[in-house]
Amino acid sequence: MKEILSNESKKFLDDLTLYLVSSGKKGQEVTEIVEELQEHLTIAESNGKNIKQIVGNSPEDYIKQLNAEISTSKSSIFQTFMLVILGVISFRFINNLIDGNYTFSILNFCGTVVISALFIILLSIVYKKVATSNISRSKEFILYSMVSALPLLLFIGLIFLDRAITPPTIEFSNVTAWCLAGLAALFLIGLSIWAKSFVVIVILIALILPDVTLKFFTINDSIKPIVSIAATILIILGYLKISNPKD
C-alpha cells in the first residue's frame, strides 16, 4: 500500500522507522507500528486527508512522542552494535587477504573496533537528527558524507600509527586465513539477508574493487591504502545517493 501514499507520508514512515531503530526499539515492534500507521495514512489519504490531519502539525514531534511511549530494548541495541562491529572486522579481514596480507596487527584490530563503535554512535545521532528535521536529500547526503569522513581520517591515522610502531601481531597460514575469510563472507551475506538490504554486498564490493583495480597501477605503497579507503567511501556514498534520490 505504501506505493499509493504521498511523498510526504512515505518520508514520514521512513523517518519514523529510522528514528525508532536508531533509538534501540525492537525490530518487530517497529515493523508493526509502521505498518499500522501506513494503513491509517493510506485510508486517510484516499478520503482526501493529509498527513498533518492524522499525526498533527508537527510529524517530528509525533515521532519523538511515539518513541517515548515505546520501551527501549537494550538487547536489540547490543545485537545491532555487535553485528556492525563484526561486520567491519570481517570486511577488514577479507580486504587484508585480497591484498595478500596474512599477518594481522592487534593495534589495527582494536583500533577498528573503537573507530567502528564511534562511527555507530555518530551515525545514530545523525539518523535521529535527519528523521526529525525537515532537510532536503542533498543536505542529508552532505551530513552523511561529513560523518563518513571522520572514520576515514581515523582509519588513515591508524594505518600510519600501525606502521610507526611495532605492535603485537597474529599470523595465519594460507589455509586458515582463507577458511576464516569464507566464514566472514558467509557472515556478511547473512547480515545482508538479515538487514534486507544490498548495502552490505555493496560495501564488500567497495572494499575489494579498489584494491583489485590499484594492482594495475603503479602507486606508492604508502599512498595506496589511503587511495583505497577513499575510493571505498566514495563508492558507498555513491550507492547511498543513487538509492536515495531527491524527492
Side-chain angles (χ1 to χ4, degrees), residues 214-246:
L214 286 173
K215 292 182 185 298
F216 296 96
F217 297 90
T218 304
I219 300 178
N220 190 295
D221 287 340
S222 63
I223 299 176
K224 188 177 292 186
I226 300 174
V227 176
S228 178
I229 293 175
T232 297
I233 295 294
L234 288 174
I235 291 172
I236 295 170
L237 289 176
Y239 168 78
L240 294 174
K241 180 66 175 177
I242 292 171
S243 60
N244 293 282
K246 187 175 179 180

Side-chain angles (χ1 to χ4, degrees), residues 44-71:
E45 288 189 352
S46 66
N47 292 325
K49 296 182 179 179
N50 59 47
I51 187 172
K52 290 184 178 179
Q53 291 175 284
I54 304 301
V55 302
N57 291 327
S58 175
E60 293 80 14
D61 289 342
Y62 182 87
I63 290 175
K64 291 179 181 178
Q65 180 183 344
L66 190 60
N67 177 67
E69 295 173 357
I70 305 172
S71 60

Side-chain angles (χ1 to χ4, degrees), residues 100-168:
N101 184 5
Y102 298 91
T103 302
F104 298 87
S105 161
I106 300 298
L107 173 64
N108 203 302
F109 174 83
C110 294
T112 296
V113 172
V114 172
I115 294 171
S116 300
L118 178 61
F119 179 63
I120 293 169
I121 294 170
L122 287 175
L123 200 58
S124 177
I125 294 171
V126 171
Y127 275 160
K128 291 182 180 181
K129 178 67 176 177
V130 168
T132 54
S133 302
N134 188 22
I135 60 177
S136 65
R137 290 291 188 185
S138 58
K139 289 183 179 179
E140 280 186 37
F141 179 72
I142 293 172
L143 196 56
Y144 288 135
S145 298
M146 292 173 63
V147 173
S148 300
L150 179 59
L152 170 61
L153 294 173
L154 291 176
F155 273 124
I156 292 173
L158 181 62
I159 290 171
F160 282 107
L161 178 62
D162 196 47
R163 291 177 177 178
I165 62 177
T166 308

Side-chain angles (χ1 to χ4, degrees), residues 167-187:
T169 59
I170 300 175
E171 186 170 356
F172 296 101
S173 66
N174 289 11
V175 175
T176 302
W178 284 107
C179 284
L180 290 173
L183 291 175
L186 288 175
F187 171 77

